[in-house]
Amino acid sequence: MTGPAVRVDTAGPVPPYEQIRAQLAALIATGQLAEGERLPTVRQLATGLGLAPGTVARAYRELETAKLIYTRRGAGTRVAALPSEPLPPDPAQLDRLARDFTSAARALGADTEAILTAVRKALE
């Protein structure tokens, strides 16, 4: 992976695996990571980020489930071709993201109305 670096805030409210997954998904969706580009091994990325390999492995599994990356023995983990039509969102993943956002917003002291206002504004 020669593209932009992935960063993880271990003190933040979003789990590290989700930070990795979201950043890599965004890099792939925007073309900053090109089809066929090789990603670091789980062990390499985990070492570079100071995380357990299982954390990176979970992020990679979720990216594989979303068909954004694929792993082949001997060829490593690579960026998959983007589908011609967007895939429908994974309801479980959306629920997880909503819970993570809500928890983080509540930790900042936001009430329900402030959270809903922020979401509406982000959707505009």
Side-chain angles (χ1 to χ4, degrees):
M1 181 169 92
T2 59
V6 173
R7 291 183 176 75
V8 174
D9 177 9
T10 55
V14 178
Y17 80 88
E18 177 55 27
Q19 293 178 52
I20 296 166
R21 188 213 59 76
Q23 288 177 55
L24 289 175
L27 292 169
I28 292 166
T30 60
Q32 293 179 59
L33 287 176
E35 177 184 344
E37 188 166 348
R38 189 173 186 162
L39 298 179
T41 66
V42 166
R43 187 170 290 134
Q44 287 170 333
L45 188 55
T47 299
L49 295 173
L51 298 171
T55 301
V56 175
R58 181 170 179 185
Y60 277 20
R61 276 193 310 272
E62 292 199 10
L63 289 165
E64 282 192 274
T65 299
K67 297 183 178 18
L68 293 175
I69 65 173
Y70 62 91
T71 302
R72 299 285 183 262
R73 185 175 294 264
T77 301
R78 297 189 179 270
V79 176
L82 288 176
S84 57
E85 294 190 21
L87 297 172
D90 174 15
Q93 190 174 14
L94 284 175
D95 289 345
R96 231 182 356 265
L97 290 170
R99 278 193 309 275
D100 291 344
F101 171 74
T102 303
S103 295
R106 292 215 187 274
L108 292 173
D111 63 8
T112 301
E113 192 54 41
I115 293 169
L116 290 172
T117 299
V119 170
R120 286 185 192 103
K121 185 175 179 182
L123 290 171
E124 292 175 351

